[in-house]
């Protein structure tokens, strides 16, 4: 998987099938907060998927869509990294980290 950081730097990572995109990002020390610990209660793990991967995986459920409503700069291929598991469809794909996220959990 190629992860595109906020500054445009492309980081190639190896990801185990079944891990969440949030876990893969954190395992590779990328700047993805995951403030709620992967419980779908924030939007700090917001990512942009390639169209091919977005179309190949299961659709977002209502909880995820509600959290994406709170995210900044949502695109048609936006998903929460905590809610998507790596599959073989991710091979050689590109996942982009948004330039900004908002943490609704911090006070």
């Amino acid at each position: 998987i190629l992860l595109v950081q906020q500054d445009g730097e492309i980081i190639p990572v190896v990801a185990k099938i079944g891990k969440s995109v949030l876990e893969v990002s954190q395992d590779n020390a990328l700047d993805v907060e995951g403030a709620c610990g992967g419980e779908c209660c924030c939007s700090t793990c917001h990512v942009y998927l390639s169209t091919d991967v977005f179309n190949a995986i299961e659709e977002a459920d209502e909880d995820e869509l509600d959290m994406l409503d709170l995210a900044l700069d949502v695109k048609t291929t936006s998903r929460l990294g905590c809610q998507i598991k790596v599959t073989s469809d991710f091979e050689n794909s590109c996942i982009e980290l948004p330039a900004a996220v908002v943490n609704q959990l911090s006070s």
Side-chain angles (χ1 to χ4, degrees), residues 33 35 41-44 66-72 101-107:
E33 186 175 359
C41 295
C42 72
S43 62
T44 60
D66 287 346
M67 288 297 104
L68 283 170
D69 284 342
L70 303 173
L72 301 174
V101 296
V102 61
N103 183 348
Q104 302 91 0
L105 298 178
S106 66
S107 26

Side-chain angles (χ1 to χ4, degrees), residues 3 5 11-15 21-31:
L3 289 166
Q5 296 197 105
I11 309 291
V13 298
V14 175
V21 170
L22 173 61
E23 292 170 317
V24 171
S25 299
Q26 291 176 335
D27 289 351
N28 287 278
L30 299 175
D31 188 20

Side-chain angles (χ1 to χ4, degrees), residues 7-80:
D7 64 2
E9 182 181 359
I10 298 172
I11 309 291
V13 298
V14 175
K16 288 181 97 174
I17 290 179
K19 279 201 150 192
S20 73
V21 170
L22 173 61
E23 292 170 317
V24 171
S25 299
Q26 291 176 335
D27 289 351
N28 287 278
L30 299 175
D31 188 20
V32 178
E33 186 175 359
C36 72
E39 297 296 322
C40 196
C41 295
C42 72
S43 62
T44 60
C45 64
H46 174 214
V47 297
Y48 305 126
L49 300 178
S50 67
T51 302
D52 290 344
V53 170
F54 183 85
N55 291 332
I57 62 174
E58 288 186 32
E59 292 183 14
D61 64 18
E62 282 301 314
D63 290 337
E64 182 179 357
L65 293 173
D66 287 346
M67 288 297 104
L68 283 170
D69 284 342
L70 303 173
L72 301 174
D73 300 322
V74 173
K75 297 180 181 179
T76 56
T77 61
S78 288
R79 291 294 301 269
L80 296 181

